[in-house]
Amino acid sequence: MDQCAVDELYEAFAVLAGSDPDHCSYPKGYMKRQAVFACNTCVQSGMDPAGVCLACANTCHDGHDICELYTKRNFRCDCGNEKFPGFTCKLHADKEGQNVKNSYNHNYFGRFCSCDRPYPDEDDQVNEEMIQCIVCEDWFHEKHLQAPAVDCEALMEMICARCMTRAPFLWTYADHFAVSPVNKEGLCKEQTDAGVMSDEKGKCFHTSVHDVSSASLCSQPEEATSGAAGRMSSPDPVTDLQLSKATQCVLNELKAKDAARARAGSVFWPYFWRAKLCTCTDCKRMYVKTGVPFLLDESDTLLAHEEKAKAETLTSEDLLLSCISSLNHVQQLEIIHQYNELKHELREFLQQSADQRQDITPEAFREFLEELQTRKRRRLN
């Protein structure tokens, strides 16, 4: 298995790790982000779109034609509600008729991109990778982005052309902070220079020459204020800073700078770009009006979801110890010994497959387990 495939497995694990595989997520309400699936067996073309959580996909819809939708924000599980006529959720039957706050698109019918095609597409021999828009959360082929994709690890997010039009104020931020294919080499260079910075994980990102620091945006001329006794007094620095952040508009500051770029096509954004958004009252109202208030939420990003899932997921050793805590010491040692033996055998099997550059098929893994069972029986006899 090559490194690319390994990375994809780790990414898939991180996405699913944030979702409970055994319990329906419905009681948790509209979750900030979770893995969502569509059942093409239960919900077919012409019906209202619906999505289910990981646990319901595994249990209630086992054996059905399931379409993985990756993650969706602010979603509540639909399994067994009125969108599934004659079908009851096996994990949480008591549900309202509809989840009115859920948002749906053609992904729930297994179709993606502006071309409205399935993925994988039997008629497309290339089946290129797709990129998800962080606003509408639809997936797009690179050839349909209306802009060349920028291939760099530091580029974490993309906004499609349709969503850029829907929230036109984003073009001003794109003028200053978005990344174009022209400067992608500078963006990905690992050495430190005036145009490149490195975050705590060692990833590189490009700093725009039009970057406006928070200090310059938030500074105001010092003005005298009236004290409690009616005298003129110096402004309190904390209060002054808070007032400045609330009244000074970053967006207007950026509009005043000459950094225009072609306003067409999808836009790629570096890791830090959301932190540059203005938080004044008028801009916050604009975010709500254009349907993008989540852009101010640092935990909304897929990266934040994956990191949170990794941090909350128990290691296999932690899980093992929690399961054998009630056993006596001798039983615990015996189980730990068998666990370590199994882990050693599995590591050797994987290493051998990697050395021989062989893909691990279900049949090969089944033979490995059967051989383990045979060896165990011989030892017991």
Side-chain angles (χ1 to χ4, degrees):
M1 183 181 298
D2 59 21
Q3 186 59 42
C4 183
V6 172
D7 291 342
E8 288 180 358
L9 285 176
Y10 275 113
E11 182 180 345
F13 170 77
V15 170
L16 296 180
S19 302
D20 190 335
D22 302 312
H23 303 91
C24 178
S25 66
Y26 182 86
K28 298 180 181 179
Y30 293 89
M31 294 184 64
K32 184 168 288 188
R33 186 167 291 281
Q34 65 172 314
V36 177
F37 303 80
C39 180
N40 297 326
T41 302
C42 297
V43 180
Q44 300 177 1
S45 180
M47 300 175 65
D48 289 336
V52 301
C53 66
L54 174 62
C56 288
N58 289 339
T59 303
C60 307
H61 302 269
D62 183 34
H64 293 190
D65 180 14
I66 297 295
C67 178
E68 181 184 355
L69 305 181
Y70 214 55
T71 67
K72 299 289 185 183
R73 70 169 60 90
N74 299 330
F75 190 86
R76 197 175 195 184
C77 181
D78 287 322
C79 180
N81 66 14
E82 65 183 33
K83 294 191 172 189
F84 293 80
F87 187 90
T88 302
C89 178
K90 299 176 183 177
L91 301 179
H92 191 88
D94 185 18
K95 294 181 178 178
E96 296 180 1
Q98 289 193 22
N99 296 312
V100 294
K101 294 182 180 179
N102 282 356
S103 296
Y104 305 93
N105 58 19
H106 61 168
N107 294 171
Y108 290 83
F109 294 108
R111 312 190 86 77
F112 306 89
C113 189
S114 55
C115 63
D116 196 38
R117 296 294 301 171
Y119 185 85
D121 190 347
E122 295 180 356
D123 296 332
D124 187 352
Q125 297 181 353
V126 178
N127 264 325
E128 61 182 288
E129 290 186 1
M130 304 187 79
I131 304 173
Q132 188 180 34
C133 170
I134 64 167
V135 176
C136 65
E137 298 188 302
D138 196 359
W139 292 82
F140 293 85
H141 299 103
E142 181 178 335
K143 60 189 176 185
H144 295 143
L145 290 177
Q146 303 177 37
V150 185
D151 185 15
C152 180
E153 183 182 359
L155 296 175
M156 307 300 289
E157 299 184 313
M158 182 275 291
I159 299 181
C160 71
R162 181 175 52 199
C163 289
M164 290 295 294
T165 302
R166 165 182 148 192
F169 71 90
L170 288 173
W171 285 115
T172 298
Y173 288 98
D175 291 342
H176 296 268
F177 306 119
V179 180
S180 67
V182 176
N183 61 10
K184 68 177 180 179
E185 292 183 1
L187 178 75
C188 298
K189 284 194 304 182
E190 294 183 354
Q191 67 265 33
T192 303
D193 57 38
V196 179
M197 296 177 62
S198 175
D199 69 2
E200 69 280 3
K201 298 183 184 302
K203 295 176 181 176
C204 300
F205 51 82
H206 191 270
T207 52
S208 171
V209 294
H210 302 289
D211 189 1
V212 184
S213 68
S214 57
S216 65
L217 292 174
C218 295
S219 61
Q220 284 183 315
E222 290 190 6
E223 295 180 2
T225 58
S226 175
R231 295 186 301 270
M232 304 304 289
S233 62
S234 324
D236 177 74
V238 176
T239 305
D240 186 53
L241 180 62
Q242 292 173 342
L243 179 63
S244 175
K245 287 184 177 180
T247 58
Q248 193 83 358
C249 181
V250 176
L251 183 61
N252 287 338
E253 292 275 351
L254 295 177
K255 285 180 178 178
K257 295 181 177 291
D258 182 16
R261 58 177 267 167
R263 299 194 169 190
S266 302
V267 177
F268 288 83
W269 304 85
Y271 177 74
F272 63 86
W273 84 278
R274 293 199 194 198
K276 303 296 183 182
L277 292 173
C278 181
T279 57
C280 75
T281 303
D282 288 342
C283 281
K284 285 183 176 179
R285 291 197 186 105
M286 180 175 59
Y287 302 151
V288 174
K289 184 178 180 180
T290 54
V292 293
F294 52 82
L295 290 179
L296 291 181
D297 185 358
E298 294 181 1
S299 63
D300 173 76
T301 65
L302 182 58
L303 178 65
H305 171 77
E306 293 178 354
E307 293 299 326
K308 181 174 181 289
K310 291 175 185 177
E312 293 179 350
T313 302
L314 285 173
T315 65
S316 55
E317 286 78 8
D318 292 333
L319 192 58
L320 173 65
L321 292 176
S322 68
C323 292
I324 64 176
S325 58
S326 60
L327 302 179
N328 63 48
H329 186 62
V330 174
Q331 291 173 319
Q332 289 178 344
L333 289 178
E334 183 179 353
I335 291 178
I336 291 174
H337 171 74
Q338 292 181 7
Y339 168 79
N340 287 332
E341 186 177 12
L342 174 61
K343 188 166 64 171
H344 173 73
E345 295 283 356
L346 180 58
R347 184 183 294 112
E348 284 197 344
F349 168 71
L350 296 175
Q351 186 62 54
Q352 182 180 2
S353 300
D355 293 342
Q356 297 176 357
R357 299 183 179 277
Q358 293 179 342
D359 289 335
I360 299 175
T361 63
E363 293 75 16
F365 193 71
R366 194 177 302 113
E367 290 178 5
F368 161 73
L369 294 177
E370 291 173 352
E371 186 178 344
L372 277 184
Q373 284 289 90
T374 302
R375 288 206 299 266
K376 182 178 178 181
R377 292 193 195 98
R378 282 202 296 265
R379 285 197 301 269
L380 292 176
N381 292 335

